[in-house]
Amino acid sequence: MLYEIATLTLKLGTMGGAVAAVDAWVNVTAAQGRLLGCWTTDLGPLNQMIVLRGFDDEAALSAERRRGMLASNPFNVADHLTDLTMESYAPFPFMGPVVRGAYGKVYEIRTYRPKFGGMQPTIDAWAAAVPERVKLSPLVVAMYALDGAPRFTHIWPFEGLDARAAIRAQSVSVGAWPPKGGPDWLTTDMRSLVALPTAISPLT
């Protein structure tokens, strides 16, 4: 399984109509992949829609990427776009496929830049720590980028911001997080946003 995160930055006031347009784009017969999540940003960079899709193999991901790159109206919202990025990811090897369902009212999407040579040690540290951490709250996916700068992204659902703060504090107090040795491999380039599921999101 491979994943794509498409980030659509939209003109102010166009988000409502963009949801239906993106729904049509990802469900047209010619589309490859499977919609997993669709969120709008609430904290962090604003006026963005985050679209997470899963693909069975590299061929399907590449075909869909070409469809987006060559389209005259990508995601059916070209008139409203101010920026568009499409990023490819592979899951950390211990992660199962993303399972669509209801997990929380807010989703935190975090991206970290590891030190050079630090991706495999990071994966190893996460593999050891995640089984205990997910007893406190679920992890949708942890995945490393296949294009662009070395980085990894992880997505966590919570019932709300208060729940997020409480669970994060608990995970530290019981020693379940952060992964032992994991921070040693991180740079200070860390980014986080909180996003809300749209009406079309299979992850809610």
Side-chain angles (χ1 to χ4, degrees):
M1 178 66 72
L2 298 175
Y3 299 102
E4 178 190 76
I5 290 182
T7 302
L8 290 65
T9 305
L10 299 160
K11 295 176 183 176
L12 188 65
T14 64
M15 191 68 71
V19 172
V22 169
D23 187 38
W25 173 268
V26 300
N27 287 303
V28 72
T29 302
Q32 301 281 331
R34 186 183 190 204
L35 179 65
L36 298 172
C38 181
W39 303 275
T40 57
T41 53
D42 190 57
L43 295 174
L46 299 179
N47 300 310
Q48 289 187 341
M49 181 183 295
I50 313 296
V51 181
L52 173 68
R53 288 186 288 176
F55 299 85
D56 290 334
D57 52 41
E58 189 174 353
L61 174 56
S62 295
E64 186 64 8
R65 180 65 53 81
R66 287 193 297 272
R67 186 171 78 98
M69 293 295 292
L70 298 176
S72 60
N73 187 16
F75 289 88
N76 295 329
V77 291
D79 289 344
H80 306 312
L81 283 173
T82 62
D83 194 23
L84 170 63
T85 62
M86 293 177 281
E87 304 167 284
S88 302
Y89 286 90
F92 283 9
F94 62 85
M95 293 291 309
V98 173
V99 178
R100 301 191 291 185
Y103 297 102
K105 296 181 176 64
V106 302
Y107 282 72
E108 184 174 20
I109 302 171
R110 300 176 73 92
T111 298
Y112 294 165
R113 286 281 303 273
K115 296 175 182 177
F116 295 116
M119 192 68 76
Q120 188 61 56
T122 295
I123 291 171
D124 295 341
W126 278 57
V130 162
E132 288 301 313
R133 173 60 182 81
V134 296
K135 291 178 181 179
L136 302 179
S137 68
L139 169 63
V140 170
V141 69
M143 52 192 179
Y144 60 93
L146 298 174
D147 47 20
R151 65 198 185 282
F152 65 96
T153 295
H154 38 121
I155 301 176
W156 302 84
F158 298 97
E159 279 302 303
L161 294 179
D162 288 345
R164 172 188 173 275
I167 290 168
R168 284 171 57 85
Q170 183 183 6
S171 71
V172 173
S173 69
V174 302
W177 207 255
K180 290 180 173 58
D184 296 340
W185 293 100
L186 299 180
T187 69
T188 56
D189 189 343
M190 304 175 181
R191 305 178 186 184
S192 179
L193 61 86
V194 171
L196 309 179
T198 67
I200 68 170
S201 182
L203 286 168
T204 60

